[in-house]
Amino acid sequence: LSMLRELLDQVITISKETGHFLKNERASIKTSDIEMKSGKNDLVSRADKEAERRFVDFLKNLLPEAGYIAEEGTGERAEEYNWIIDPLDGTTNYLFGIPCYCTSVALWQNGEILLGVIYDPERDECFSAAKGLGAFLNGEPISVSKQDDLKLTLLATGFPYDNKGRQMDYLKILAAVNANSRGIRRLGAAAVDMAYVACGRLD
């Protein structure tokens, strides 16, 4: 566990450094820096790519035998250990100046997640967890909501970019759930959604 704790601390460090880079870089983003990926709502920026490079350069030294499953396609997978990296989750928010985005990185071993860190630089909130060590927000223990009555829950969701043909199905489900809960939020950053579930802000 002490080795995992040390790894987690190092990943927290690089997550914060990369998050601060993204926050500082956001002010200088120009339209010409934005590229299209697979569709009109799937954007990538120079900041995305640089953030991923920073993660990979750091993690290579931290665990040289590990491979990578990365949002922008850096590196190759390895047999046992792999870093799973989304250097900028909530890219559209980021590019439009909406302050809800984060970095997200996890360490995977043979199909099992060993640790994960989500860092929101706009709120300076670092969500971290490791197997056997618990889950934390800025070093303080967190836990999920105990609410089990749908009518009293606050929920969050997102929409897939690549399946517009089923949009009406999604909207019907949303209408039904919204009518029977305290409401639904669409924050635009899935990792933030999951972090908020982990700390009980969302049910």
Side-chain angles (χ1 to χ4, degrees):
L1 286 181
S2 61
M3 184 188 225
L4 204 53
R5 175 76 254 180
E6 188 177 333
L7 268 177
L8 184 63
D9 288 343
Q10 293 292 321
V11 176
I12 288 171
T13 296
I14 186 59
S15 295
K16 288 184 175 182
E17 287 178 1
T18 304
H20 294 152
F21 158 76
L22 288 169
K23 185 177 180 181
N24 292 334
E25 189 76 2
R26 189 164 67 89
S28 63
I29 293 285
K30 302 181 185 68
T31 306
S32 59
D33 296 324
I34 303 169
E35 300 171 15
M36 306 308 290
K37 284 204 283 191
S38 60
K40 68 179 181 180
N41 290 321
D42 196 1
L43 304 171
V44 63
S45 69
R46 177 170 47 84
D48 257 307
K49 293 177 178 179
E50 174 60 18
E52 182 164 296
R53 186 195 66 77
R54 287 169 179 246
F55 268 119
V56 170
D57 286 353
F58 183 92
L59 297 173
K60 271 181 183 173
N61 292 323
L62 190 60
L63 200 63
E65 68 269 32
Y68 302 91
I69 303 168
E71 179 80 2
E72 304 308 330
T74 302
E76 296 179 356
R77 297 190 187 199
E79 286 281 326
E80 185 176 6
Y81 291 99
N82 285 280
W83 293 105
I84 303 170
I85 306 167
D86 188 347
L88 174 54
D89 184 49
T91 306
T92 303
N93 282 351
Y94 178 81
L95 295 173
F96 280 82
I98 298 169
C100 184
Y101 59 89
C102 64
T103 65
S104 177
V105 61
L107 179 61
W108 176 94
Q109 180 189 25
N110 295 328
E112 183 177 38
I113 297 295
L114 296 183
L115 63 84
V117 176
I118 292 169
Y119 180 62
D120 174 352
E122 294 288 342
R123 295 170 187 78
D124 191 26
E125 290 190 332
C126 185
F127 299 86
S128 62
K131 185 181 178 184
L133 295 175
F136 303 88
L137 166 53
N138 290 345
E140 296 297 320
I142 56 175
S143 62
V144 297
S145 165
K146 294 179 173 61
Q147 185 56 254
D148 60 2
D149 183 347
L150 179 62
K151 291 185 178 63
L152 300 177
T153 58
L154 182 64
L155 311 172
T157 191
F159 295 104
Y161 293 129
D162 58 354
N163 200 349
K164 296 296 185 185
R166 299 190 64 187
Q167 200 165 46
M168 292 311 297
D169 294 332
Y170 300 141
L171 293 176
K172 286 177 187 175
I173 294 168
L174 280 175
V177 174
N178 193 56
N180 290 283
S181 68
R182 289 182 184 264
I184 300 174
R185 301 292 179 264
R186 188 187 187 285
L187 303 180
V192 173
D193 289 345
M194 291 187 285
Y196 284 9
V197 171
C199 72
R201 290 176 184 168
L202 293 169
D203 299 294

